[in-house]
Amino acid sequence: MDFESNYEIARTAEFLLSRNFTRVALQFPDELLKDSTRVVRALRDQLRSLRKCGAEQNGGNKDVRLFVMADTTYGSCCVDEVGALHVNAECVVHYGHTCLSPTTNLPAFFVIGKAPVSVPNCIKSLSSYALTNDKHILVLYGLEYAYSIKHIREALVEASKLSNSKSELEVRFADVSCSVMNSSDDHRSSTGLVEPAGVCTDDNIFGMAPDNRYKIGSLIWTLPEGHRMEDYLLFWIGSDNPEFATVVLTFNGCDIVRYNPKENRLVTDVSQQKRILKRRYYLVEKAKDANIVGILVGTLGVAGYLHMIHQMKDLITGAGKKVYTLVVGRPNPAKLANFPECDVFIYVSCAQTALLDSKEYLAPVITPFEAMLAFNRGSQWTGAYVMEFQGLINSSLVEVKESEEARFSFLSGGYVEDVDLQGKEIGKEEEGTLALANAMEKVLQLRDNPNSLKKGTSRSGPEYFAARSYQGLDMHYDNSLPEPYLIGRSGRASGYEDEKNRQVEL
Amino acid sequence: MVKFTADELRRIMDYKHNIRNMSVIAHVDHGKSTLTDSLVAAAGIIAQEVAGDVRMTDTRADEAERGITIKSTGISLYYEMTDEALKSYKGERNGNEYLINLIDSPGHVDFSSEVTAALRITDGALVVVDCVEGVCVQTETVLRQALGERIRPVLTVNKMDRCFLELQVDGEEAYQTFQRVIENANVIMATYEDPLLGDVQKDKLWPMLQKLGVTMKSDEKDLMGKPLMKRVMQTWLPASSALLEMMIFHLPSPSTAQKYRVENLYEGPLDDIYANAIRNCDPEGPLMLYVSKMIPASDKGRFFAFGRVFAGKVSTGLKVRIMGPNFVPGEKKDLYVKSVQRTVIWMGKKQETVEDVPCGNTVALVGLDQYITKNATLTNEKEVDAHPIRAMKFSVSPVVRVAVQCKVASDLPKLVEGLKRLAKSDPMVVCSIEESGEHIIAGAGELHLEICLKDLQDDFMGGAEIIKSDPVVSFRETVLEKSCRTVMSKSPNKHNRLYMEARPLEEGLAEAIDDGRIGPRDDPKLRSKILSEEFGWDKDLAKKIWCFGPETTGPNMVVDMCKGVQYLNEIKDSVVAGFQWASKEGALAEENMRGICFEVCDVVLHADAIHRGGGQVIPTARRVIYASQITAKPRLLEPVYLVEIQAPEQALGGIYSVLNQKRGHVFEEIQRPGTPLYNIKAYLPVVESFGFSSTLRAATSGQAFPQCVFDHWDMMSSDPLESGSQAAQLVTDIRKRKGLKEQMTPLSEFEDKL
């Protein structure tokens, strides 16, 4: 594929000039970083040549300064606004795969790139699959294939004409919302020159907007009146990535097949993805038993993340559980295991990095939507699934009704007490520091209880620490004489000097 | 025939000396329910003529259909003794009226938990033994349990007609048979001598035999003519009133029984007011009530909490403190304060509401079902110092599991609700959820699960369709030898290293941990004494046990073997956390580990505390545990049933061939003296037991009926690491089912090199 067209150099330059940006950050994911210098060079040349023509018309444009950003703090699919603000950038150009999550402060321009796809092959799979089924088909695709959709659509019409088929095969295609994003602050004042993606998220609390409009990630489509998503077969063009997982989870009631353009193959077995949904269900059940919840800040850019964090805090406190907010950058098992007192983590991030599930994590990591299910009493797992937390912001808390029944935990196979029911009376009696002192006192009596190390038995961080066997350095030595000097280890951690010697002896 | 009203009943309830709480226990098909019915007939609830046909206590349609009891049912009986009959009675009494709270229990092993629940709330047990089949495995199990709970047993030899009709023996021989049966029963009891219970066997059973002997002699005369069999039965029926009398004579009243049972019942100090109230069966004392099971009520979805009042009174509208099984005195965990909506006494098919129920009686409570899963201790709202009554110990364990899911995905809330109710309705069934998100129902056996699933679908989910998986058996992971070398794993930052070895626990130690003889709560001195004397441990080493796991009580442990390591105490918590995690999901197929001892051999830690925190050590501990497990010849343990089959000689061939085919092996075969019947005991892997009883029935033309009871874990000899072996295949299957990678994670992922 042509370098220039793949990186959309000309279009980017035009956009930058049309908005008169002078400082622009170019954000590359790790796998495209190797091309960054070429892109910058090409873009700079293009900008110069364009400006030359422009300068003749209205004269005196300032030079555009370009900055390359790499190794983002969070997922590379999101716009790293904080990074861009370090160089006072006015705009971010984002390369590569993206989740198109709305940004908070900066406008963003997305260059998605183009992956090769064999149109005839794709059409063949699509039509042969369509014949085996009498349902309507909805075609969704990864953004890197968006450019080819036009061809596919045309070719499909052609093909159906050729075969003058009697089958009135109905195939719908989703559209890409846009590749330019104004910041959500900005767009209130903007007059809507470009259709900004932000608008869609505001009036679209996932799924059904009034006119049967659907949106997922950056794809939007409308269904005719009276049709439901369940009536459609989803045909996904693209690889098996988080984007696809998002679609499978959100429309878990639909049949889904995947066309893999890399291998030119139709994958009909998506049981692995379906399995994810069940697994998430388990995690929700597990989260219900949690006493201490950690909120992991997984984005500093996606619009509304602060609101979401606050909403989560309220939700969890309302459920009578203890909450801590943690910022650890991109989470990994070792980082999260530093907080063994947390029974569950809620990861507030963009939709495509939201699913963190690995056996390696000591405690489950769930999404805000799952947290709503777990900590909102009375809410039930119905199968509906929301990945993007923007959709949850407007959904007000379900009124916490005075529940009649104790909560049944499927992990312990019995009723478990609920703290909020029990905690109310305590809260009234003991306020503030007194409560803490009392809690500590109670904890200290429990020190030798071997159960205390079991997960989910302590109610707050201090309580957990008080129950640990290790209480810190013991300063009360019996002899006051200073310890003699000892020669420490030397060498490197992979094998200290003395150990190397030992190894040789062996 | 005495017609009595609820008020009348209520009046007698106050006479604690005139109450007898008893359960009827026996092997399956020895005639408990029929006997119970004749007792009920004698006490006058149902008409004499239907007794024997209609089983009063089998209230469920499927019970009647299958002809077996599934749920235990309580009935209150009323019996008036004549003055003459009571002349010889030495104990305390209040008039001649007696109230007998009777609980009929199921005989099939799969429902043993129902028996346990029944025994807890009664003081005496009527052990029914078929005179031909004699003492069977289930008789033995329930009798053991009864004695463990300090329940006084009395023996009844039932189905005497079989003796004469089927075996054609004469009176003398029959008498010998009975004697043998009784001796057998005594042998079991002899192993459970209990000073407080008194010498059960001699005092109580011999008079009993004489009583039976008397009845029998009169039978004998009639028996010479075969067609008179029916009359024998009728002569037997009056014996039910003799039985009632005998119960009143020989079974303890609540006030007598609670004197010695309090030690077994109460968890708290035995000299506090609650213990004293139980001991004295004091109706004015603080309320102590144990809910032993939940009974589905006629309005769908609600349950009666069925239990026994040990002290005080429970009344309608009373605010009670509910202490669940996980309650720890002084904490708020598993504790609710709620009021009783209604108190009910239970009589077979109908219930009668009463104002209050005093101690010594069984009672059903309405309005507490949303806070009690299976059992609980209730006391007065203000009694904050009360300790709960000890939890019941079941003789069977839920080893067979099925995964259920609903046919229509949107029925999930119904399924969740249904499972919740199912969990409540049965003392043994466990409803849980797997890591993969599947709902699991675990029961004691195939029949138990079948009944549970039927209940779930029909009663608790309103007929919504469910899909069930094939039965799944859970395995355990263990090791055969000591690790071939000390393995090492590095922390993610490479600055900390843990060295460990795994070795199998000494034989019998895992069982000792299971039984709670050794556990995390032990006094370290006592523990090291047991370990050094029974298992040959070094005395000092026994003090270095860091923890047990999984769930902090499981049959695996971590032992510290390090010498002079700095900061070791600092990482102990992290290693323990990693161990709890790893021992729950072993390296082979993420099944629980069992019988593995992990020895921490050496530790190298970073000098800065921040670099040896939980984040670094917990994952590393888990990896090194897996590595040491893999290097110590890992093996799978499979659960094994003890099967008892009773069949005539001609069926033996069929039994042996079926057992062979199912990997079972017979270890005992004895002929019942005086009968053509053989008793066969065999071990059978639980995995192979599905469909076993139907295959067996087919192979023996219905003459053999097996009773399976979980017995032990058996090591599978094949090596799961060797591809193609049986164990490896099993591991692959389990991993596939759990949605894991089919290939086991290789050792190199867990072990690091210097």
Side-chain angles (χ1 to χ4, degrees):
Chain A
M1 179 122 344
D2 181 21
F3 183 80
E4 293 265 318
S5 81
N6 192 19
Y7 282 98
E8 300 183 38
I9 302 292
R11 207 163 73 85
T12 316
E14 257 169 52
F15 169 78
L16 293 180
L17 279 182
S18 71
R19 299 270 185 115
N20 280 330
F21 291 124
T22 52
R23 295 170 79 85
V24 174
L26 311 180
Q27 182 185 341
F28 288 88
D30 294 350
E31 65 273 14
L32 295 182
L33 201 58
K34 58 183 191 299
D35 289 339
S36 60
T37 46
R38 279 179 75 192
V39 171
V40 169
R41 205 174 300 133
L43 198 57
R44 200 173 278 148
D45 292 347
Q46 184 74 21
L47 280 169
R48 264 193 209 119
S49 65
L50 271 178
R51 212 175 35 246
K52 255 177 213 157
C53 332
E56 281 159 20
Q57 284 161 18
N58 43 16
N61 251 343
K62 275 188 278 173
D63 201 19
V64 180
R65 293 195 62 189
L66 300 175
F67 300 88
V68 172
M69 291 197 296
D71 193 22
T72 46
T73 329
Y74 301 104
S76 56
C77 63
C78 300
V79 176
D80 184 6
E81 286 184 74
V82 177
L85 286 173
H86 279 299
V87 292
N88 287 326
E90 295 160 329
C91 170
V92 180
V93 179
H94 183 282
Y95 290 92
H97 178 78
T98 175
C99 56
L100 284 180
S101 305
T103 54
T104 331
N105 296 313
L106 294 176
F109 184 85
F110 294 94
V111 177
I112 289 142
K114 291 163 188 165
V117 57
S118 144
V119 174
N121 254 325
C122 180
I123 297 286
K124 219 164 85 193
S125 317
L126 177 57
S127 40
S128 67
Y129 181 67
L131 286 177
T132 63
N133 239 298
D134 53 355
K135 277 188 174 179
H136 302 311
I137 289 187
L138 178 70
V139 179
L140 303 177
Y141 41 85
L143 288 176
E144 60 270 36
Y145 300 102
Y147 74 98
S148 63
I149 290 303
K150 211 171 72 188
H151 308 294
I152 293 179
R153 199 188 291 218
E154 280 162 8
L156 194 68
V157 173
E158 205 92 328
S160 61
K161 264 184 203 152
L162 273 179
S163 64
N164 58 33
S165 65
K166 58 282 160 202
S167 66
E168 282 172 35
L169 179 71
E170 197 191 325
V171 181
R172 290 183 163 270
F173 288 86
D175 296 313
V176 179
S177 51
C178 73
S179 60
V180 182
M181 192 178 287
N182 289 330
S183 65
S184 55
D185 296 342
D186 209 43
H187 114 130
R188 267 167 226 130
S189 54
S190 85
T191 48
L193 276 170
V194 203
E195 159 104 329
V199 176
C200 308
T201 44
D202 283 351
D203 61 11
N204 204 340
I205 308 162
F206 163 67
M208 293 273 251
D211 54 346
N212 259 2
R213 236 171 86 169
Y214 290 86
K215 172 177 186 301
I216 187 159
S218 49
L219 299 176
I220 40 175
W221 65 94
T222 50
L223 295 184
E225 202 65 39
H227 282 219
R228 291 178 309 133
M229 272 312 289
E230 283 73 33
D231 302 335
Y232 283 83
L233 289 174
L234 302 188
F235 188 89
W236 174 266
I237 304 171
S239 51
D240 186 7
N241 54 12
E243 225 175 331
F244 178 55
T246 312
V247 171
V248 176
L249 282 184
T250 318
F251 299 108
N252 52 60
C254 309
D255 289 326
I256 300 181
V257 287
R258 183 168 71 88
Y259 172 73
N260 186 347
K262 275 186 197 128
E263 296 165 28
N264 277 329
R265 215 156 50 82
L266 196 66
V267 186
T268 45
D269 177 35
V270 289
S271 58
Q272 195 56 42
Q273 274 75 24
K274 297 259 171 187
R275 202 168 245 166
I276 296 177
L277 191 71
K278 278 187 152 183
R279 167 83 186 159
R280 303 312 292 186
Y281 172 62
Y282 166 77
L283 295 182
V284 170
E285 287 296 320
K286 200 167 175 189
K288 284 182 180 173
D289 283 0
N291 285 322
I292 305 176
V293 184
I295 299 180
L296 291 177
V297 182
T299 174
L300 293 175
V302 181
Y305 78 95
L306 265 180
H307 186 281
M308 197 64 226
I309 290 170
H310 289 306
Q311 189 176 332
M312 282 294 125
K313 270 189 191 163
D314 293 344
L315 176 73
I316 295 159
T317 342
K321 296 166 197 294
K322 187 82 191 156
V323 59
Y324 296 99
T325 311
L326 311 166
V327 184
V328 295
R330 219 176 292 188
N332 66 28
K335 282 183 193 170
L336 296 194
N338 276 325
F339 306 98
E341 60 270 36
C342 289
D343 301 316
V344 65
F345 295 99
I346 303 174
Y347 189 40
V348 179
S349 74
C350 76
Q352 293 187 12
T353 47
L355 293 184
L356 269 185
D357 185 26
S358 157
K359 279 264 146 204
E360 303 296 310
Y361 286 99
L362 186 60
V365 183
I366 60 172
T367 65
F369 170 73
E370 288 160 346
M372 302 273 266
L373 278 181
F375 300 128
N376 241 339
R377 277 186 77 103
S379 54
Q380 271 174 333
W381 178 277
T382 52
Y385 199 87
V386 185
M387 295 289 294
E388 288 160 57
F389 66 75
Q390 284 90 352
L392 298 170
I393 290 180
N394 298 335
S395 67
S396 54
L397 283 177
V398 178
E399 194 114 325
V400 180
K401 52 175 192 278
E402 201 55 51
S403 61
E404 291 165 5
E405 196 173 355
R407 198 172 57 73
F408 192 91
S409 158
F410 275 104
L411 287 156
S412 53
Y415 281 118
V416 290
E417 85 283 21
D418 250 319
V419 195
D420 59 333
L421 294 172
Q422 311 283 318
K424 265 174 202 158
E425 55 215 82
I426 313 169
K428 276 177 213 152
E429 292 159 20
E430 311 159 0
E431 300 263 320
T433 48
L434 185 64
L436 184 70
N438 285 353
M440 284 305 292
E441 193 182 346
K442 207 160 84 187
V443 160
L444 287 174
Q445 294 164 354
L446 285 173
R447 265 189 57 175
D448 279 333
N449 183 357
N451 266 337
S452 53
L453 266 176
K454 218 159 121 185
K455 287 198 72 82
T457 46
S458 43
R459 302 229 169 284
S460 66
E463 198 171 311
Y464 178 86
F465 284 116
R468 285 202 321 189
S469 70
Y470 177 65
Q471 297 291 327
L473 292 175
D474 187 9
M475 290 312 206
H476 309 287
Y477 290 114
D478 287 336
N479 61 356
S480 51
L481 287 173
E483 292 284 320
Y485 285 114
L486 285 174
I487 308 287
R489 276 192 295 256
S490 60
R492 293 196 326 194
S494 62
Y496 295 105
E497 298 290 338
D498 54 328
E499 284 171 331
K500 290 230 173 84
N501 298 338
R502 200 165 64 188
Q503 209 71 356
V504 172
E505 280 163 34
L506 287 173
Chain B
M1 290 270 280
V2 190
K3 289 233 160 75
F4 52 85
T5 59
D7 291 340
E8 213 177 335
L9 244 183
R10 172 64 193 84
R11 184 174 51 81
I12 320 167
M13 281 185 168
D14 283 331
Y15 308 145
K16 60 180 179 184
H17 297 296
N18 287 23
I19 300 172
R20 298 291 182 270
N21 292 308
M22 51 156 293
S23 36
V24 185
I25 55 175
H27 192 73
V28 68
D29 253 357
H30 282 194
K32 289 175 303 296
S33 303
T34 319
L35 187 70
T36 311
D37 279 353
S38 34
L39 291 178
V40 172
I45 295 186
I46 52 171
Q48 198 101 32
E49 59 270 15
V50 288
D53 300 335
V54 182
R55 289 166 158 206
M56 190 61 189
T57 48
D58 286 358
T59 45
R60 298 158 49 110
D62 51 348
E63 288 184 328
E65 193 183 302
R66 287 167 192 263
I68 56 165
T69 311
I70 292 167
K71 301 283 175 197
S72 54
T73 327
I75 301 185
S76 297
L77 303 180
Y78 171 84
Y79 190 69
E80 199 164 352
M81 297 279 277
T82 56
D83 279 328
E84 202 182 330
L86 279 170
K87 253 191 297 189
S88 53
Y89 185 68
K90 302 285 190 310
E92 283 182 80
R93 64 188 175 98
N94 269 322
N96 297 352
E97 298 165 311
Y98 281 87
L99 177 68
I100 300 170
N101 294 318
L102 189 89
I103 296 178
D104 177 32
S105 69
H108 196 280
V109 239
D110 279 13
F111 308 110
S112 293
S113 51
E114 292 278 343
V115 184
T116 316
L119 287 174
R120 168 51 64 90
I121 57 172
T122 51
D123 304 311
L126 183 63
V127 184
V128 183
V129 180
D130 186 312
C131 71
V132 179
E133 292 184 4
V135 175
C136 294
V137 62
Q138 186 62 1
T139 321
E140 214 177 304
T141 323
V142 291
L143 200 52
R144 282 227 166 94
Q145 267 194 359
L147 294 167
E149 283 268 350
R150 291 193 168 166
I151 308 284
R152 188 167 295 176
V154 287
L155 188 76
T156 312
V157 182
N158 201 7
K159 297 201 180 174
M160 311 245 266
D161 53 328
R162 273 188 82 182
C163 203
F164 306 109
L165 275 182
E166 292 176 17
L167 303 179
Q168 304 283 331
V169 291
D170 58 29
E172 182 53 34
E173 220 175 297
Y175 184 81
Q176 294 293 333
T177 318
F178 301 151
Q179 201 157 357
R180 236 185 341 259
V181 166
I182 291 157
E183 268 167 14
N184 278 344
N186 279 341
V187 166
I188 300 166
M189 284 185 239
T191 55
Y192 276 81
E193 269 188 82
D194 189 327
L196 275 174
L197 250 182
D199 201 351
V200 241
Q201 51 260 57
K202 278 192 194 107
D203 296 350
K204 304 305 167 200
L205 288 166
W206 290 118
M208 156 89 213
L209 177 68
Q210 272 156 18
K211 200 160 268 178
L212 283 172
V214 172
T215 356
M216 208 185 58
K217 259 169 213 158
S218 63
D219 291 353
E220 266 173 60
K221 287 170 204 146
D222 301 332
L223 260 170
M224 298 309 153
K226 247 208 263 174
L228 293 176
M229 201 54 229
K230 191 153 181 138
R231 274 193 52 200
V232 183
M233 284 310 292
Q234 280 159 353
T235 3
W236 177 238
L237 269 179
S240 64
S241 53
L243 261 176
L244 282 173
E245 269 170 42
M246 187 190 65
M247 285 185 235
I248 289 163
F249 269 87
H250 296 300
L251 292 183
S253 69
S255 62
T256 324
Q258 284 176 207
K259 277 195 182 66
Y260 54 81
R261 286 189 69 195
V262 63
E263 285 175 34
N264 285 36
L265 288 171
Y266 191 56
E267 267 193 354
L270 289 170
D271 51 359
D272 67 1
I273 54 165
Y274 309 102
N276 282 331
I278 295 177
R279 188 172 293 124
N280 302 328
C281 192
D282 183 3
E284 304 306 321
L287 173 68
M288 288 305 275
L289 190 156
Y290 189 76
V291 175
S292 72
K293 65 173 284 186
M294 308 292 285
I295 302 174
S298 46
D299 44 340
K300 292 274 175 201
R302 299 311 295 265
F303 287 83
F304 292 106
F306 187 70
R308 151 99 175 249
V309 191
F310 284 102
K313 266 184 193 153
V314 62
S315 58
T316 303
L318 182 74
K319 261 205 159 176
V320 289
R321 218 171 125 84
I322 307 170
M323 296 180 272
N326 298 321
F327 171 77
V328 180
E331 280 182 56
K332 294 259 172 199
K333 207 177 148 139
D334 219 359
L335 179 75
Y336 309 93
V337 176
K338 290 289 164 266
S339 45
V340 178
Q341 280 172 10
R342 226 148 37 90
T343 46
V344 171
I345 47 175
W346 197 271
M347 301 196 302
K349 284 173 185 166
K350 48 185 180 181
Q351 308 111 36
E352 303 277 350
T353 308
V354 289
E355 192 52 39
D356 58 354
V357 175
C359 55
N361 291 285
T362 49
V363 65
L365 305 170
V366 181
L368 303 177
D369 56 335
Q370 292 187 315
Y371 304 94
I372 303 173
T373 319
K374 290 176 196 290
N375 41 56
T377 307
L378 308 188
T379 179
N380 295 104
E381 189 192 357
K382 296 281 173 243
E383 308 293 349
V384 288
D385 299 327
H387 287 245
I389 287 171
R390 197 156 288 164
M392 294 184 285
K393 235 183 163 180
F394 295 109
S395 62
V396 284
S397 40
V399 279
V400 185
R401 302 135 47 91
V402 282
V404 287
Q405 63 183 91
C406 20
K407 214 162 203 170
V408 188
S410 56
D411 275 346
L412 185 72
K414 264 192 204 164
L415 177 68
V416 168
E417 189 59 35
L419 287 171
K420 204 194 285 182
R421 289 183 197 158
L422 177 65
K424 266 196 268 191
S425 71
D426 188 297
M428 171 53 64
V429 77
V430 179
C431 296
S432 58
I433 184 166
E434 280 258 290
E435 292 262 327
S436 58
E438 285 172 308
H439 281 285
I440 300 286
I441 303 178
E446 220 183 349
L447 179 65
H448 184 209
L449 273 183
E450 195 186 319
I451 301 288
C452 285
L453 285 168
K454 193 174 157 295
D455 278 359
L456 174 68
Q457 189 163 351
D458 299 349
D459 297 349
F460 302 135
M461 283 179 67
E465 283 195 76
I466 49 174
I467 309 169
K468 70 171 179 95
S469 72
D470 288 335
V472 171
V473 175
S474 53
F475 288 78
R476 294 286 183 270
E477 296 182 15
T478 193
V479 294
L480 189 62
E481 291 173 4
K482 198 177 175 72
S483 296
C484 54
R485 58 174 184 274
T486 306
V487 288
M488 182 267 281
S489 296
K490 287 181 191 171
S491 62
N493 65 10
K494 317 282 181 223
H495 282 271
N496 305 284
R497 276 174 266 144
L498 299 182
Y499 294 80
M500 235 185 234
E501 273 174 23
R503 64 171 178 85
L505 284 181
E506 284 76 6
E507 209 176 310
L509 187 48
E511 285 73 22
I513 299 172
D514 281 343
D515 299 342
R517 281 209 303 132
I518 298 171
R521 262 166 267 227
D522 291 348
D523 174 26
K525 273 187 198 137
L526 204 69
R527 186 200 291 165
S528 80
K529 191 167 167 245
I530 299 181
L531 282 175
S532 60
E533 283 174 7
E534 287 181 39
F535 300 104
W537 278 47
D538 190 85
K539 267 230 157 92
D540 295 326
L541 191 61
K543 286 180 190 145
K544 289 192 161 179
I545 296 175
W546 270 4
C547 65
F548 296 83
E551 309 293 338
T552 69
T553 51
N556 304 287
M557 51 175 106
V558 178
V559 181
D560 165 27
M561 305 278 274
C562 307
K563 288 186 184 70
V565 174
Q566 246 182 329
Y567 318 123
L568 187 66
N569 52 353
E570 217 173 301
I571 63 155
K572 183 179 158 189
D573 291 298
S574 303
V575 174
V576 168
F579 165 71
Q580 296 300 350
W581 185 14
S583 57
K584 207 170 163 194
E585 300 168 352
L588 299 179
E590 299 200 351
E591 296 282 329
N592 286 3
M593 294 185 183
R594 183 183 169 82
I596 313 183
C597 177
F598 292 99
E599 298 176 342
V600 184
C601 305
D602 193 10
V603 171
V604 178
L605 294 170
H606 194 278
D608 294 346
I610 189 70
H611 295 299
R612 49 181 147 90
Q616 297 298 331
V617 178
I618 296 175
T620 315
R622 176 170 173 254
R623 287 176 61 229
V624 74
I625 284 170
Y626 285 158
S628 49
Q629 185 197 355
I630 294 177
T631 48
K633 296 220 165 130
R635 288 288 182 273
L636 281 182
L637 293 174
E638 66 172 348
V640 175
Y641 275 140
L642 168 69
V643 192
E644 194 182 271
I645 309 166
Q646 206 158 50
E649 197 175 359
Q650 62 268 28
L652 288 186
I655 294 173
Y656 272 89
S657 73
V658 173
L659 275 173
N660 269 341
Q661 182 194 325
K662 298 250 177 200
R663 288 201 289 131
H665 72 97
V666 176
F667 66 92
E668 193 182 290
E669 179 199 305
I670 35 169
Q671 189 176 13
R672 285 217 90 81
T675 68
L677 289 176
Y678 278 83
N679 244 14
I680 294 166
K681 283 189 181 171
Y683 288 128
L684 177 74
V686 176
V687 203
E688 305 283 349
S689 71
F690 307 119
F692 174 64
S693 53
S694 52
T695 320
L696 193 65
R697 263 201 300 272
T700 59
S701 41
Q703 284 173 306
F705 181 69
Q707 290 272 304
C708 303
V709 124
F710 169 72
D711 193 72
H712 64 277
W713 294 97
D714 198 20
M715 189 180 290
M716 304 186 72
S717 52
S718 60
D719 184 358
L721 297 180
E722 182 190 318
S723 65
S725 70
Q726 188 200 4
Q729 186 55 43
L730 208 57
V731 166
T732 318
D733 290 345
I734 299 172
R735 295 185 73 94
K736 212 189 274 175
R737 176 170 59 79
K738 289 188 174 173
L740 309 168
K741 261 191 255 135
E742 280 179 37
Q743 213 56 45
M744 253 184 271
T745 321
L747 176 61
S748 55
E749 289 285 299
F750 298 128
E751 189 188 15
D752 294 314
K753 293 266 176 282
L754 240 154

